[in-house]
């Protein structure tokens, strides 16, 4: 019994240490008007807001609006895919591609549009 409790403690310690040593993968955005950072794993997608120069970052638990251009954000990380002229998607968060409705289904059943021409390129990435 003593051996198994020591073994359990050792495993718990190793798991905790692994999580402590792992650096946080943050997405940084900096302009003269705003600055924010968010764990990349939390990002679901970016979308343009119609009629403005605003972009909305949609994450697991919040939505951040800021002024910017999707093409600038797209160039910042290879894990972001331009699915439509108004959307930039985190490819790690895609759960399903709906070809009938031309939509990408993400975590929490959120959806964003995908151009018919981009479906094949996205399937090759996944």
């Amino acid at each position: 019994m003593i051996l198994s409790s020591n073994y359990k403690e050792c495993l718990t310690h190793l798991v905790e240490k692994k999580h402590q040593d792992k650096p946080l993968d943050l997405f940084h955005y900096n302009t003269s008007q705003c600055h924010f950072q968010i764990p990349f794993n939390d990002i679901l997608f970016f979308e343009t807001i119609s009629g403005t120069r605003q972009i909305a970052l949609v994450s697991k638990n919040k939505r951040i609006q800021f002024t910017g251009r999707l093409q600038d954000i797209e160039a910042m990380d290879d894990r972001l895919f331009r699915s439509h002229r108004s959307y930039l998607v985190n490819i790690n968060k895609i759960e399903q591609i709906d070809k009938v409705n031309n939509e990408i289904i993400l975590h929490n059943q959120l959806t964003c549009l995908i151009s018919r021409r981009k479906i094949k390129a996205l399937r090759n990435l996944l």
Side-chain angles (χ1 to χ4, degrees), residues 68-86:
R69 298 181 336 162
L70 280 183
Q71 66 189 41
D72 295 337
I73 297 168
E74 181 180 12
M76 294 172 76
D77 201 296
D78 292 339
R79 296 171 288 182
L80 297 171
F81 178 77
R82 187 76 172 260
S83 65
H84 184 272
R85 70 180 187 177
S86 300

Side-chain angles (χ1 to χ4, degrees), residues 96-105 111-112 114 119:
Q96 184 179 348
I97 301 171
D98 182 354
K99 293 185 207 177
V100 175
N101 297 314
N102 293 330
E103 292 180 333
I104 296 172
I105 301 169
T111 62
C112 61
I114 184 166
I119 290 174

